[in-house]
Amino acid sequence: MENSSSASYFGPGGLDIADAFFTPIQHSIPPSSTKRHTKISVIGAGNVGMAIAQTILTQDLADELAIVDAIPDKLRGEMLDLQHAAAFLPRTKIVAAVDYSVTAGSDLCIVTAGARQVSGESRLNLLHRNVALFRKIIPPLAEYSPETILLIVSNPVDVLTYVAWKLSGLPSYRVIGSGTNLDSSRFRFLIADHLDVNAQDVEACIIGEHGDSSVALWSSISVGGVPILSFLDKRQITYEKETLENIHKAVINSAYEVIKLKGYTSWAIGYSVASLARSILRDQRRIHPVSVLAKGLHDIDGGDVFLSLPALLGRTGVLATTHVHMTEEEAGHLRKSAKTILEVQSQLGV
């Protein structure tokens, strides 16, 4: 029996709707069909880095996990602690070092390292210190793993993803920021909690900056396939715009609340980044809101800028971005978000 594609059902002679549905990323190459050893490197053994490492191990995403940190004693302690759990985990080789040569041959390098803000320090000065740190981190990662994909988690993630792209010399489709993937999960949770449904049945997305200028796409939210706002309008159910804005504010303030209560965030970002790693390394072709090079998309201009858009992820990185529906108001907010990031970037001299 001859295999047939589902595309044959769409119109006379078949209609390849993928070409119309996505904006492809130029020069992206197809993944190798050969099964191979998978290696992930995590840079930074702090709370976020170790939560990511632990989640990667429990989800069996790598054959080898390398961890790099500047503090050797802490690093060795974290490595041993994970190695001692070998009997309870899928078989994964775990190595650690302060030298970046340990990352050689990585399929995915996840960067969580970042300078901590000191009392009275401006955000711009902190950013300059993080750029200086990235000058020491990114070039050796690209040197030891020239075919790697960089996944940036350090904040401010959009600007630092741009910095990583510039410093690495890698094509833009292989440099990705964790962006609003976690923000969107928080958004889905709050809506699901409000409606008393499973968050996996909520389709909702936050785009733009991972920060105060992020954009909640209320116009495209659906629950169980039912568009929320059009449903309310159709049923003539009134709702206050302020209510929607408060939910968005709760998303923005979520991390601050967790940090205030426990001192740092870790588990949610761990699961978020592991989901991105799975989509990339397993060539899942799932759509995630992540920080990508957005110049020329959705009328964003003014320079090279990374911000979050729904992106199709696979074994070679960012394969495409979706033509996500936006109202004129939402599109305006997105362009404003891009401008905010560009203004910060202009002060870096990268």
Side-chain angles (χ1 to χ4, degrees):
M1 182 176 177
E2 188 176 321
N3 289 331
S4 62
S5 168
S6 59
S8 62
Y9 292 105
F10 293 94
L15 172 64
D16 188 357
I17 63 169
D19 288 342
F21 196 74
F22 294 105
T23 299
I25 301 300
Q26 298 300 315
H27 312 302
S28 181
I29 57 175
S32 168
S33 59
T34 307
K35 181 175 173 60
R36 55 197 293 258
H37 178 90
T38 301
K39 180 175 180 177
I40 298 176
S41 289
V42 175
I43 315 305
N47 296 313
V48 171
M50 294 316 299
I52 292 170
Q54 188 266 352
T55 312
I56 284 169
L57 289 173
T58 57
Q59 294 189 10
D60 195 15
L61 297 180
D63 299 297
E64 182 176 353
L65 175 66
I67 307 170
V68 177
D69 197 89
I71 306 174
D73 287 348
K74 181 183 189 317
L75 179 62
R76 178 167 172 76
E78 294 286 11
M79 178 191 71
L80 291 172
D81 208 8
L82 291 176
Q83 288 176 338
H84 295 167
F88 317 115
L89 292 169
R91 187 173 183 270
T92 303
K93 181 181 179 182
I94 303 169
V95 294
V98 296
D99 190 282
Y100 286 89
S101 60
V102 77
T103 67
S106 293
D107 299 283
L108 179 66
C109 291
I110 302 171
V111 181
T112 72
R116 290 191 176 185
Q117 192 166 14
V118 298
S119 179
E121 183 179 29
S122 70
R123 292 181 69 182
L124 182 60
N125 191 68
L126 174 64
L127 181 54
H128 276 293
R129 289 203 295 125
N130 273 322
V131 170
L133 184 62
F134 266 44
R135 290 187 189 278
K136 298 176 183 178
I137 293 173
I138 302 301
L141 290 179
E143 178 185 350
Y144 284 111
S145 304
E147 301 302 316
T148 196
I149 293 168
L150 290 179
L151 178 53
I152 309 303
V153 183
S154 311
N155 280 315
V157 68
D158 302 295
V159 175
L160 290 179
T161 303
Y162 165 81
V163 170
W165 172 54
K166 285 293 188 181
L167 295 176
S168 68
L170 296 177
S172 60
Y173 62 85
R174 286 203 276 129
V175 183
I176 305 165
S178 56
T180 58
N181 194 54
L182 178 52
D183 303 75
S184 297
S185 175
R186 290 166 172 154
F187 194 32
R188 292 168 68 185
F189 161 74
L190 290 171
I191 294 168
D193 194 49
H194 189 73
L195 298 175
D196 195 22
V197 298
N198 192 310
Q200 293 184 2
D201 291 321
V202 177
E203 287 293 329
C205 193
I206 301 283
I207 62 172
E209 179 198 17
H210 170 58
D212 295 345
S213 72
S214 65
V215 182
L217 294 183
W218 286 103
S219 63
S220 60
I221 289 176
S222 66
V223 176
V226 179
I228 288 288
L229 295 191
S230 59
F231 171 80
L232 295 177
D233 290 338
K234 194 172 183 179
R235 293 293 183 94
Q236 297 183 332
I237 300 173
T238 59
Y239 59 90
E240 295 292 333
K241 190 173 181 181
E242 186 181 353
T243 302
L244 307 185
E245 292 173 351
N246 286 339
I247 293 176
H248 183 207
K249 286 178 183 176
V251 172
I252 294 171
N253 292 328
S254 291
Y256 300 127
E257 183 180 8
V258 174
I259 292 169
K260 181 180 178 182
L261 293 169
K262 63 176 272 189
Y264 54 89
T265 62
S266 57
W267 298 119
I269 188 63
Y271 283 107
S272 172
V273 172
S275 75
L276 299 177
R278 177 182 293 276
S279 291
I280 293 167
L281 297 175
R282 300 278 174 84
D283 199 31
Q284 293 286 293
R285 303 179 74 89
R286 289 192 62 192
I287 296 169
H288 295 267
V290 289
S291 194
V292 299
L293 183 61
K295 182 180 179 181
L297 300 174
H298 304 287
D299 297 322
I300 294 171
D301 56 20
D304 294 325
V305 62
F306 279 74
L307 51 70
S308 286
L309 293 170
L312 185 70
L313 301 184
R315 189 59 188 79
T316 54
V318 181
L319 307 178
T321 58
T322 68
H323 296 292
V324 62
H325 170 73
M326 280 184 273
T327 64
E328 273 303 313
E329 182 181 11
E330 289 167 343
H333 287 317
L334 179 64
R335 289 189 289 271
K336 184 178 178 181
S337 186
K339 186 178 179 182
T340 299
I341 298 168
L342 281 165
E343 286 173 353
V344 175
Q345 280 179 194
S346 66
Q347 302 176 67
L348 298 180
V350 177

